[in-house]
Amino acid sequence: FLIVVTIEISNHLASILAEPLKQIADALASHPKPGDQLDLPVPTSVEIQLLANELSSLWRRVSETDRLNLEQILAQKNELQTVLASVEDAILVVDDADRVIHHNVKLLKLLRLSGEDVQGVRWQDLPNAEPNARQFKSLLENGVSEAKVVDFRLDGSLVSYTARQRSILDRNGERIGTVFLFRDVTEQKS
């Protein structure tokens, strides 16, 4: 008789804990966005209440960390945009798939393209209706291992640039992107 009572109590306790645990697992499996409220079940026991409280507290910390990371990323992006805008060189930065991730206004002016034409596009797929853009793509296709002097027509005048490229490496030395720099050397060339 004692075994039957013990089994019944165990089954009852298991059902009291199992359903809320399943609901908690479902709430977490729904991949809520950081900052959103976790949709946890109403606790049916002290143990589930403690678990729900700890998960809610942990989720608030995750959400706060995510918010701080986002703020930091946006601040760094703004800093980078400010630096790129103030540099006298035309700059193009691509990721490891050759998609444009950064550029500055000087580059857009040189290529006679808009930011929308460039951002997120593989440099090989950039529009090439303009002669400068065609020449630019040809230069990148052949590689810029050493500084090369290249002439572009800009506002009706011939302008000379030195072209350079540098790989961006991760901490393991693997290429994760490339920076292309174009410095106006017209006056130095004359």
Side-chain angles (χ1 to χ4, degrees):
F1 173 75
L2 187 57
I3 293 176
V4 172
V5 171
T6 304
I7 291 173
E8 283 301 315
I9 291 173
S10 297
N11 284 339
H12 180 68
L13 285 175
S15 68
I16 288 174
L17 295 176
E19 186 57 31
L21 288 176
K22 182 184 177 319
Q23 291 173 346
I24 289 172
D26 290 343
L28 296 174
S30 70
H31 301 287
K33 294 178 187 171
D36 289 352
Q37 184 78 17
L38 279 180
D39 187 22
L40 298 177
V42 175
T44 56
S45 68
V46 173
E47 293 81 6
I48 296 298
Q49 177 69 50
L50 288 171
L51 179 61
N53 288 346
E54 285 303 313
L55 284 173
S56 293
S57 176
L58 178 62
W59 190 248
R60 282 190 298 277
R61 291 193 303 271
V62 166
S63 296
E64 179 63 14
T65 301
D66 184 68
R67 185 187 65 76
L68 292 173
N69 285 342
L70 183 59
E71 286 176 6
Q72 184 179 16
I73 288 168
L74 290 173
Q76 289 174 347
K77 181 181 178 189
N78 288 336
E79 289 172 11
L80 179 59
Q81 291 299 340
T82 301
V83 168
L84 289 175
S86 64
V87 172
E88 293 298 319
D89 300 339
I91 298 175
L92 175 72
V93 182
V94 297
D95 64 13
D96 62 340
D98 291 334
R99 286 183 306 264
V100 176
I101 54 175
H102 301 291
H103 61 278
N104 65 358
V105 174
K106 302 264 188 212
L107 179 85
L108 297 177
K109 183 177 178 184
L110 175 66
L111 300 181
R112 295 185 182 120
L113 296 173
S114 70
E116 293 81 30
D117 291 333
V118 173
Q119 191 65 32
V121 176
R122 290 180 64 239
W123 68 258
Q124 296 91 335
D125 299 329
L126 289 174
N128 60 1
E130 293 290 331
N132 283 359
R134 285 193 299 273
Q135 184 177 355
F136 177 81
K137 286 172 61 174
S138 175
L139 178 68
L140 297 188
E141 284 169 1
N142 294 322
V144 191
S145 56
E146 295 181 23
K148 293 183 181 180
V149 177
V150 133
D151 293 326
F152 291 98
R153 187 145 306 273
L154 195 59
D155 298 328
S157 300
L158 201 58
V159 182
S160 297
Y161 287 87
T162 57
R164 300 173 192 255
Q165 87 180 45
R166 297 287 183 266
S167 292
I168 302 170
L169 307 176
D170 66 11
R171 66 180 120 184
N172 299 320
E174 298 293 322
R175 180 186 165 276
I176 58 172
T178 306
V179 177
F180 296 96
L181 300 168
F182 296 85
R183 172 166 286 168
D184 184 346
V185 293
T186 306
E187 290 180 16
Q188 296 170 7
K189 189 177 172 187
S190 304

